[in-house]
Amino acid sequence: PFVIEGAIECEEMKVLSSTPDATVGGQSMGSFRPRTWSGEGHLWFQGRRVGDFVELNVPCEKGKAVKVGLHATKSWDYGVIRFSIDGKQVGKDVDLFSGGQGKVEPTGAIDLGVVEPKGDSFVLRAEVVGGNEKSLGSKSFFGLDCVVLTPAK
């Protein structure tokens, strides 16, 4: 399968917390084209409303500042997502609506900035903060493919 170099797969990360009535789990993306999801899967979050969230434990090297790149998925029924690391908002809100019914595609790298972890992991939170007016359904689904950490310069 296709693998992004340095990828830490979101579907393999420990889920620390999530909205109680949301569904969170791995989903195979092998049937979608182009086949450019790392490991051909992602962590699929099926929320119900604004405010729904998932928190993931991201392993890293202790005390080493890193640039955080997140690869996610866009789809016809996905929401607008806000990211935070260890409780601090990072990056800009990201609209994961793909532009049309049945259209599913990878986002490419989303820059979440630089973080200096205090331990050997950090908490990545993804929270639904809205939905594109053209998105269908609850507008509170999203998919997270992987995190890539590179040394901060």
Side-chain angles (χ1 to χ4, degrees):
F2 174 80
V3 176
I4 293 171
E5 185 176 343
I8 305 168
E9 303 293 342
C10 291
E11 64 273 21
E12 296 174 6
M13 290 180 192
K14 181 179 181 181
V15 174
L16 298 172
S17 182
S18 69
T19 303
D21 61 348
T23 302
V24 184
Q27 180 185 29
S28 172
M29 301 304 285
S31 64
F32 294 97
R33 300 288 183 265
R35 293 177 90 168
T36 53
W37 283 269
S38 186
E40 295 185 2
H42 71 178
L43 182 76
W44 191 24
F45 182 88
Q46 299 169 69
R48 303 191 187 290
R49 67 195 71 78
V50 168
D52 285 1
F53 72 93
V54 65
E55 291 182 338
L56 303 173
N57 184 68
V58 182
C60 62
E61 197 172 336
K62 183 178 182 177
K64 299 271 185 174
V66 291
K67 284 182 63 175
V68 180
L70 173 74
H71 293 256
T73 302
K74 289 185 170 192
S75 188
W76 53 271
D77 57 351
Y78 281 13
V80 176
I81 310 304
R82 178 171 296 155
F83 297 99
S84 62
I85 293 177
D86 289 338
K88 180 182 176 192
Q89 184 178 337
V90 293
K92 298 177 181 177
D93 294 350
V94 179
D95 185 351
L96 294 178
F97 174 64
S98 63
Q101 187 165 354
K103 185 176 181 183
V104 179
E105 61 188 7
T107 61
I110 299 167
D111 182 6
L112 297 184
V114 175
V115 65
E116 189 166 339
K118 294 174 180 61
D120 60 359
S121 66
F122 59 85
V123 177
L124 173 65
R125 179 183 175 106
E127 180 178 342
V128 178
V129 294
N132 186 301
E133 65 182 31
K134 295 178 184 173
S135 186
L136 302 177
S138 71
K139 306 177 188 203
S140 15
F141 287 17
F142 58 86
L144 304 178
D145 181 14
C146 66
V147 171
V148 176
L149 305 177
T150 54
K153 299 192 187 246

